[in-house]
Amino acid sequence: MSDASLWIFGYGSLVWRPAFAHRRAVPASIEGWARRFWQGSTDHRGLPDRPGRVVTLLPRAHPMLSRCPHPPEPCWGTAYEVEAAAADAVLAGLDHRERGGYARLEIEIRLTGHPPRTVPGLVYVATPENPEFLGPASPEAIARQIATARGPSGANPEYVFELARSLRAMAAPDGHVFEVEAALLRVLGEADGPRG
Ligand code: SIN
């Protein structure tokens, strides 16, 4: 690997749909952050009059997480290595894609491998101060909002199912994501009505 390459950590849609040129994609984790479906989406998975919900990260010590039922665990996702020559173009594209409240943060990324190693990189985080932030709600309420939301990037349930599927494929635990997925399956099952 060239020292000048750029590492980007994806933990939401960037896990399964990076849509930017990269040299390699590696399952990876970051410490001290919790992934939550607390960010509103009016430009990808919802609309201004009917926001969807997508994930953001909160520092583990954030007061909004004080009643969190899940044990602290690393946040798993995918780290992408981007060639130095492509970095500016990739970041310009991501800044545009993540413009709905996300800002770039520098972070230490732990890459899986033999042996695992840590690299500096970037992650897009939507803080509670951004205007699209929706904040905590029960898994049931989150699922009900997601069930009917749809935006230019597609249906909001697809975002949840693709993220959960990708985490499962890397054997990555995430109590919150799987709880929202389970609640969403219940809500969508109710909407389908009884079968048989
Ligand atoms: C990410 O995937 O890393 C950021 C949030 C998103 O685009 O869903």
Side-chain angles (χ1 to χ4, degrees):
M1 184 197 82
S2 142
D3 282 348
S5 60
L6 167 70
W7 284 95
I8 296 170
F9 180 75
Y11 59 92
S13 66
L14 294 183
V15 173
W16 79 90
R17 197 178 65 81
F20 59 80
H22 53 275
R23 190 186 285 157
R24 62 199 169 112
V26 184
S29 61
I30 55 175
E31 292 285 345
W33 295 86
R35 172 174 26 217
R36 290 291 181 273
F37 277 94
W38 290 0
Q39 174 68 4
S41 178
T42 57
D43 62 347
H44 280 297
R45 297 288 171 169
L47 295 170
D49 61 339
R50 204 172 185 140
R53 275 188 182 251
V54 292
V55 288
T56 184
L57 297 176
L58 279 97
R60 274 264 159 224
H62 196 285
M64 281 187 199
L65 290 164
S66 60
R67 284 182 291 143
C68 169
H70 308 293
E73 57 201 8
C75 174
W76 285 90
T78 305
Y80 299 96
E81 187 186 13
V82 174
E83 306 230 2
D88 285 349
V90 166
L91 288 178
L94 285 176
D95 287 353
H96 180 74
R97 169 172 165 171
E98 303 295 330
R99 66 192 179 284
Y102 292 82
R104 279 188 226 157
L105 281 188
E106 293 180 6
I107 201 156
E108 292 291 304
I109 307 170
R110 186 156 176 83
L111 306 176
T112 55
H114 302 288
R117 67 191 174 100
T118 300
V119 293
L122 296 176
V123 64
Y124 284 81
V125 173
T127 69
E129 288 72 41
N130 89 84
E132 309 255 345
F133 188 79
L134 295 174
S138 67
E140 194 70 19
I142 291 174
R144 287 195 184 282
Q145 181 171 354
I146 288 173
T148 53
R150 159 175 282 281
S153 297
N156 205 173
E158 178 193 35
Y159 182 106
V160 178
F161 295 138
E162 285 296 306
L163 178 56
R165 179 190 59 74
S166 306
L167 292 176
R168 227 172 255 123
M170 58 178 102
D174 192 312
H176 174 76
V177 170
F178 294 131
E179 198 172 50
V180 169
E181 181 199 31
L184 185 57
L185 286 168
R186 278 196 302 276
V187 168
L188 293 175
E190 282 167 20
D192 281 351
R195 287 171 198 269

